Amino acid sequence: MNINSSSNNQRKNNDDERPTTTSTIPPPLPPFRSVRMNVGPAPVMVQPQSFGAKAPMMPGASSFEFGGSKQAVQGKMAPPKPMGFSSGSMSTTNNSISTTTNNSNTKFAWKVDSVQTVPVYHPLERTAVTFGEEHPLELITKRISDFMKHQSIHCDYDSSMARVVCSTNSCLHFSVQLWQNKNGAVIMEMQRKQGCAIRMQSYRQQLKESILMGDEATSKTQDTGCPAGLKQQLARMVPAIPASEQQGSCIDLCQELLASNLVDQNRMGLESLCVLTDASKVQDSSAASEKILQDSKLQMLLLKYFAEQEQANLHLLAIKAVAQALESTSTASASLKIDLSSVFWQTVLQALYQHIQRPHEKPLEAALSIKALRLLQQSCPECLTVLQRKYSLPVTAFLQIAHEFGKQHSSSLEREAMQFIMMANVH
């Protein structure tokens, strides 16, 4: 009995000593990053701030001295920083792009050292464009930055990824990605992220022509919005509304949309106001414009879009509607009665002043803010006096910074700042 038990124990020990087979696990696949998966750096989470409070410093933010006081600057990826616009030279470098400006006359040009090949599992857009040897990489990147400046498109340039993330004042967001194929030819791929598809197609065609033809296409690359043929087709599809009912019914619908709790309806209401106040799109834009400038009920609905800037698109559309309303009523500015002491206009002036202070952060909002403030100054000459009394630095102190930044990156910002400077010098 003992012999059997000992033999069984020995057998179990031998089984435990048998060599075990190890399975080979293949190494993980290398990380892959596609334009469709990620178009920019991760957002920085910031604690919500009350309107008018000091803006929190972002990572990588710097400060500069202007007029004896130290101003905090939150730098987005669009170079260069405003401190480079003083006399002398400037060199600024961040994770995505580096550029050197020796003087204010030097034009900014985007530069990319190398371009990645198209990933194996990345399906290119069918609208992607392949350029030949006559269009080298340096020429393509330069003409892209020239086109963005000419069209006043705000861009975040990422040289390491050969990518540009773009935004327009019509709330169109898209990206431009450069690749190269196996033969070394450069491929440009544009992808719409948000906004009008028709306008996106227009920008895509204009940018392609600008890269191919250069300065010859500059005069043709004006954003005309919706094509005339499509406008005629839409006009035939929509039944005509009597002229006496157009303005009233449209404004009433806008107010209902703005009073809604749904963001999509709020945006539709703001976009409708931008159309109603655009003299190039409607026959009579003065009626809707005067209602925005004087109707307290409509102003209370618009107030939250100036006081709260969390919804960037809605805030931009609200500034655009007010700027266009002031422009449409500029000929009848003497008859307008604008109460700058009201809560609405105090909030609007504060928002405009904040954007003028930091044109490098949000050049789209800054250009519209300068335009609105210039037109408001024509209607209410005491406008600048009110701002001067409330803030330590005058508005004109930041116009030169905005003008120099516009010369590098935004034609509309350059133009609006120059017009305001000329008006201030006259007065």
Side-chain angles (χ1 to χ4, degrees), residues 360-395:
H360 57 286
E361 289 185 7
K362 296 182 178 180
L364 300 176
E365 288 85 345
L368 291 172
S369 298
I370 294 175
K371 178 180 180 179
L373 200 57
R374 172 178 59 83
L375 295 170
L376 190 59
Q377 171 69 12
Q378 296 177 359
S379 303
C380 304
E382 68 276 11
C383 176
L384 292 181
T385 306
V386 172
L387 288 176
Q388 177 64 29
R389 191 184 306 116
K390 188 173 183 179
Y391 302 100
S392 57
L393 289 177
V395 177

Side-chain angles (χ1 to χ4, degrees), residues 280-355:
S280 63
K281 296 181 180 179
V282 294
Q283 294 180 353
D284 184 16
S285 60
S286 59
S289 300
E290 292 177 0
K291 200 168 183 64
I292 291 177
L293 301 179
Q294 295 180 322
D295 189 347
S296 59
K297 181 180 178 181
L298 181 56
Q299 289 177 354
M300 287 300 102
L301 293 175
L302 293 172
L303 181 62
K304 63 179 180 180
Y305 304 111
F306 289 96
E308 301 174 1
Q309 302 184 20
E310 297 178 358
Q311 296 287 342
N313 288 335
L314 302 185
H315 181 68
L316 174 63
L317 291 173
I319 298 177
K320 185 177 181 179
V322 171
Q324 292 183 167
L326 290 168
E327 185 177 23
S328 298
T329 57
S330 59
T331 56
S333 59
S335 61
L336 287 177
K337 295 181 180 180
I338 298 177
D339 184 13
L340 296 180
S341 62
S342 64
V343 177
F344 173 76
W345 284 110
Q346 286 291 320
T347 308
V348 170
L349 288 176
Q350 186 176 1
L352 299 182
Y353 187 79
Q354 286 187 352
H355 289 307

Side-chain angles (χ1 to χ4, degrees), residues 78-85 90 92 99 101 108 360 405 408-409:
K81 299 292 188 296
M83 59 180 169
F85 298 128
M90 180 272 293
T92 179
T99 180
T101 305
F108 167 76
H360 57 286
F405 184 84
Q408 301 290 332
H409 300 286

